[in-house]
Amino acid sequence: MTRGAGSAMGSRITRRLLAWLGVVVVGGSAFLFGAVDEGAPRTDADRVHSLAQNFGCPVCDGQSVAESDAVVARNIRQQIARRVDEGRSDESIIAELEAAFPGNDYTPAASGLSSLVWILPVVAGAGALAGLVVVFRRWRREIEAGATPADERLVADFLSETDATSAQPRAEPTEASADPTQADPTQAGPTQTDPTQVDERGDG
Amino acid sequence: MTAETPRRTVWIVAPVAVVLLLLLLLFATRETGPNRDTGVVDRGGLAPSIVGETVDGGVFDLDDQRGRFVVVNFFSTTCVPCIREHPELVSFHEAYAPSGFAEVVSVAFDDSASNVAGFFESNGGDWPVIARDTGSIAVAYGVALVPESVIVADNGEVVDKLIGGVTRAQIENVIGAYIEESRA
């Protein structure tokens, strides 16, 4: 195999990889967006529910005000609804509730150690992306490097074997094999060999 | 398997381990749960407004009580500690309300007006009782469980919040300490 053929094959594989990478990125992003992002609340009721989900029930274990049926949770839900009706902002509503029931705001702080909740996923995502880039670049380098001497020896051995086989006298053609449309594809010459097949066997 | 494999493994495992360690650190240093002492009111701050219809058809407004101490008592007729503390509140009210030194106002917590009226008929107590639409008052005072009592000073500021059942002596001590502190 020549270096030009290897390079053409390499660019074809790179294009295929890039296409798959694009599919993974687009599909993954869509999945992540659908799973994580709930979008902005559309109605006042959505807004009340969203605020209630982000505020913990003061007397429950791990339940938000939206989930709990405790009296205080119901009172807080009603209070949120009243404040939303009054046109108060989300921040002022949460601040009022946090003043009355401290330590129940589920929204992680954007500073201090709690900020890791926001930072870590971004760092992990960036790390994974960087890892993918490194791996893909390494693969591309390997492909662009073309065939190694060992590969070329392997191909040469294969070609000489094929030549020896085709040089042997053929049997009398039967009626069926006389028909050129019924020609046996395994009798094809070396020029018809799929180069990718040779390349795959030469891996090493 | 090549000699490069262990190095590659390190490159994969190390970042994952760092992220996991950071997460562990984050969750280990966070508070374990909600504040079970229920809510707070700002001691020394102005007491949240209380305006509501009383069970006898009148209207109670906390602002009208300026000049006297007010015990804002959150209760429920089905709560045992509330039933136990009731005679103490009656005793306090009988001692200090006639002179205008102090008043008691009861705010029902998830209870019906008819139940509340029946409770006061049976157990005594002649002070304003608000039983309808009390959710916002409870939230403003950070009440999550009953009984809870907030002592409001004659100038409208919060003196203290008492969690659980109260006694007459306890209320007297809180008010006495506040007066002493104010004079000092």
Side-chain angles (χ1 to χ4, degrees):
Chain A
M1 190 197 314
T2 63
R3 183 168 287 269
S7 178
M9 184 180 66
S11 68
R12 196 171 62 189
I13 291 175
T14 307
R15 275 203 302 275
R16 197 179 293 171
L17 281 174
L18 284 174
W20 275 111
L21 184 64
V23 169
V24 168
V25 168
V26 172
S29 304
F31 176 76
L32 206 65
F33 186 76
V36 175
D37 187 81
E38 293 172 355
R42 287 161 298 196
T43 64
D44 281 355
D46 288 340
R47 203 175 140 213
V48 170
H49 186 68
S50 170
L51 286 166
Q53 271 187 321
N54 284 320
F55 201 80
C57 165
V59 295
C60 316
D61 264 332
Q63 277 188 310
S64 73
V65 161
E67 294 156 346
S68 171
D69 201 35
V71 178
V72 62
R74 276 186 276 141
N75 284 343
I76 292 173
R77 281 200 299 268
Q78 288 164 3
Q79 184 80 338
I80 292 171
R82 270 191 291 270
R83 296 301 185 227
V84 166
D85 282 345
E86 290 167 8
R88 297 262 296 269
S89 70
D90 289 1
E91 290 75 20
S92 79
I93 294 171
I94 290 295
E96 180 191 350
L97 295 176
E98 183 63 15
F101 302 100
N104 289 289
D105 183 8
Y106 279 176
T107 314
S111 60
L113 203 58
S114 298
S115 61
L116 286 175
V117 169
W118 303 108
I119 296 167
L120 279 182
V122 177
V123 170
L129 203 65
L132 279 176
V133 168
V134 168
V135 168
F136 287 143
R137 286 181 71 176
R138 185 180 298 165
W139 285 354
R140 195 169 64 181
R141 269 204 307 272
E142 284 172 2
I143 291 165
E144 283 176 351
T148 63
D151 294 336
E152 286 173 1
R153 258 200 316 279
L154 200 67
V155 173
D157 290 348
F158 174 75
L159 290 177
S160 61
E161 273 176 31
T162 312
D163 287 345
T165 310
S166 58
Q168 286 176 0
R170 294 186 178 194
E172 284 296 315
T174 60
E175 280 183 23
S177 63
D179 182 356
T181 61
Q182 298 294 317
D184 183 356
T186 60
Q187 295 299 319
T191 53
Q192 290 178 304
T193 306
D194 183 355
T196 59
Q197 298 295 320
V198 175
D199 194 59
E200 277 177 13
R201 289 201 301 173
D203 186 24
Chain B
M1 182 75 79
T2 65
E4 202 179 324
T5 307
R7 202 192 310 162
R8 192 178 297 172
T9 308
V10 168
W11 274 104
I12 293 169
V13 170
V16 173
V18 168
V19 169
L20 286 177
L21 272 175
L22 286 172
L23 280 174
L24 193 69
L25 186 70
L26 174 68
F27 292 123
T29 54
R30 279 187 72 80
E31 288 179 16
T32 51
N35 180 5
R36 287 191 167 278
D37 289 338
T38 72
V40 295
V41 284
D42 186 16
R43 283 183 184 81
L46 204 61
S49 163
I50 299 179
V51 180
E53 186 188 339
T54 58
V55 289
D56 60 6
V59 173
F60 177 86
D61 187 340
L62 186 62
D63 286 346
D64 296 340
Q65 304 298 319
R66 290 288 168 87
R68 70 181 80 176
F69 284 85
V70 181
V71 178
V72 183
N73 175 246
F74 293 87
F75 81 109
S76 164
T77 59
T78 56
C79 137
V80 174
C82 306
I83 296 166
R84 283 200 190 123
E85 77 172 354
H86 193 77
E88 298 284 337
L89 290 170
V90 171
S91 173
F92 176 83
H93 187 257
E94 283 174 351
Y96 297 104
S99 65
F101 175 77
E103 179 60 286
V104 177
V105 57
S106 285
V107 181
F109 190 77
D110 192 39
D111 216 330
S112 71
S114 59
N115 280 353
V116 170
F119 178 84
F120 273 80
E121 262 182 41
S122 304
N123 298 286
D126 182 24
W127 58 78
V129 183
I130 304 171
R132 290 193 182 90
D133 302 325
T134 57
S136 62
I137 302 172
V139 171
Y141 280 81
V143 175
L145 297 168
V146 287
E148 285 187 13
S149 299
V150 177
I151 316 290
V152 180
D154 49 358
N155 61 3
E157 74 178 31
V158 174
V159 176
D160 206 352
K161 183 179 186 181
L162 307 173
I163 310 286
V166 292
T167 62
R168 173 181 164 176
Q170 199 178 355
I171 299 169
E172 287 171 346
N173 286 341
V174 169
I175 293 175
Y178 175 80
I179 292 171
E180 284 292 316
E181 206 175 290
S182 304
R183 283 180 186 159

